[in-house]
Amino acid sequence: MLAAAFALLPLADAAGAAPTAPRAATAADAGVRVNTQASLGRLSDVARGVNAAVWDSHMNDPEVATLMKAAGVGAMRYPGGSYADIYHWQTHTAPGGYVAPGTGFDSFMNTVRATGAQPVLIANYGSGTPEEAAGWVRYANVTKDYGAKYWEIGNEIYGNGHYGNGWEHDEHEDKSPREYARQVRAYAEAMKAVDPTIKIGAVLTTPGHWPDGVVAEGDPGDWNHTVLSEVTDVIDFVSVHWYAGGSGTTAEDAMARLSGLPGELREVRSQIDRYAGPDSPRIGIALTEI
C-alpha cells in the first residue's frame, strides 16, 4: 500500500502579487554539491504491502510471517483481489471460486500479527451487503480486538461490465459509478456505526488506464469524477491499481511505463482536491495492486 501526497510551490507571494523580476547577478563561478544520501521524506510503516488470497494454501505457512517481516512488509491485503467480491467472511466461502484450507480470517490475522503488519480488508461489494461488512467490522474490532483500520469497498468495481468489459463480480442491477457511490455511503455508514475509527476506501480507476475518461450512457461523467463528486465526505482514502502491461511486457517497457506513475498519482490527488477542497489532505491514496 502506497500513500502519496504532493505539494506545489506557490507561483505568487503571500499577497498574491506576481514576484518581482530578479536582480541582475554578477557573473561568477559557482560550485554545487549534491548529497545523494539525503532523503526527502520517509515512507510510512504500511507503505510496502502484499496481497494475500484465500486460494493460496501457503499464505499462512509459519515461515511466511518470518519472510514478510524480513522484507519490511507493513500491510497485508485480504481476501485477495477479485475474490473479495465473491467472498463471504463469516462462512469463509467464495461461490464460483476456490478457497484453500487454512485461509480463514482468524488464520490470516495470526500471520498479520506475527508479521507485525496492518491488515487491509476488502469488503464484499459484488455479492455482499453493508450489513455483512458491518458484521465483519464488529467481529474483527469488537469481538476479536484486531484493530483492523483499513477497509476497501470492493475491488476494481469499474470492471463490472458497465463499460462493456467485465471481469469483476457485481450482482447489483445498477452497475453505474453513481450506484457504487451510493453504496459506498451505505457501507461507510453501517461500518463506522460499529467502529468510527476505521478508514474507508473507495475504488477509483488509475488516470490514463482504461476505463479512465470513459463516460457511459446516462452517466454524468467518468468513473472517478462521478464517484468522487458524491463520497469525499465519507471516505478516508481511495484505492487505485497499476499494471505495466500483460505477459508480453518486457522489463524495459515496464520501467519506461513506471516513470509515468508519479504523474498519474498526482492526477488522482488533483481529482480529490477538486471534490474534497480543503478536506483533501485527509484523504489518502492507496496503491493496492501493482
Side-chain angles (χ1 to χ4, degrees):
M1 188 169 108
L2 176 63
F6 301 91
L8 297 177
L9 294 176
L11 299 179
D13 62 20
T20 58
R23 298 176 181 175
T26 304
D29 292 335
V32 177
R33 298 180 65 186
V34 178
N35 181 1
T36 60
Q37 302 301 310
S39 62
L40 298 178
R42 180 185 180 278
L43 289 173
S44 74
D45 292 338
V46 296
R48 287 189 299 273
V50 298
N51 277 276
V54 292
W55 45 259
D56 178 9
S57 60
H58 296 291
M59 64 177 283
N60 294 313
D61 286 356
E63 60 266 38
V64 167
T66 301
L67 292 169
M68 294 294 180
K69 192 169 187 176
V73 168
M76 299 182 71
R77 184 172 179 252
Y78 178 93
S82 292
Y83 259 62
D85 287 307
I86 62 173
Y87 179 73
H88 299 283
W89 72 271
Q90 196 164 19
T91 58
H92 189 47
T93 58
Y98 170 70
V99 175
T103 59
F105 178 57
D106 288 317
S107 296
F108 165 73
M109 284 305 305
N110 287 338
T111 299
V112 169
R113 286 187 157 182
T115 302
Q118 175 73 237
V120 178
L121 303 175
I122 317 170
N124 183 341
Y125 176 85
S127 59
T129 64
E131 293 72 28
E132 180 182 35
W136 196 1
V137 174
R138 182 175 295 103
Y139 179 79
N141 292 353
V142 179
T143 303
K144 302 294 288 191
D145 196 26
Y146 286 142
K149 185 177 182 180
Y150 300 102
W151 298 78
E152 296 179 55
I153 311 303
N155 171 82
E156 297 184 1
I157 300 301
Y158 49 80
N160 61 7
H162 184 64
Y163 299 105
N165 185 11
W167 64 87
E168 199 71 19
H169 187 79
D170 183 2
E171 296 179 1
H172 295 88
E173 183 176 353
D174 183 352
K175 294 177 171 53
S176 69
R178 178 170 283 174
E179 175 64 11
Y180 175 70
R182 189 184 74 82
Q183 291 287 343
V184 165
R185 299 190 69 87
Y187 273 74
E189 180 180 0
M191 296 165 74
K192 287 194 172 186
V194 176
D195 183 352
T197 70
I198 65 172
K199 304 298 184 182
I200 297 292
V203 172
L204 295 186
T205 66
T206 302
H209 298 250
W210 187 93
D212 174 52
V214 178
V215 179
E217 184 178 356
D219 289 346
D222 66 5
W223 183 274
N224 284 11
H225 290 86
T226 302
V227 171
L228 285 172
S229 69
E230 300 189 25
V231 304
T232 55
D233 60 319
V234 298
I235 63 171
D236 304 283
F237 67 97
V238 297
S239 174
V240 293
H241 294 172
W242 187 92
Y243 287 96
S247 59
T249 303
T250 65
E252 291 77 14
D253 289 341
M255 293 305 295
R257 293 168 187 168
L258 185 62
S259 65
L261 180 57
E264 292 163 3
L265 291 176
R266 280 195 294 272
E267 175 58 24
V268 174
R269 174 55 62 191
S270 177
Q271 292 173 0
I272 298 172
D273 288 343
R274 174 177 175 179
Y275 293 104
D279 200 32
S280 177
R282 180 186 61 78
I283 300 174
I285 300 173
L287 187 60
T288 55
E289 288 188 28
I290 185 168

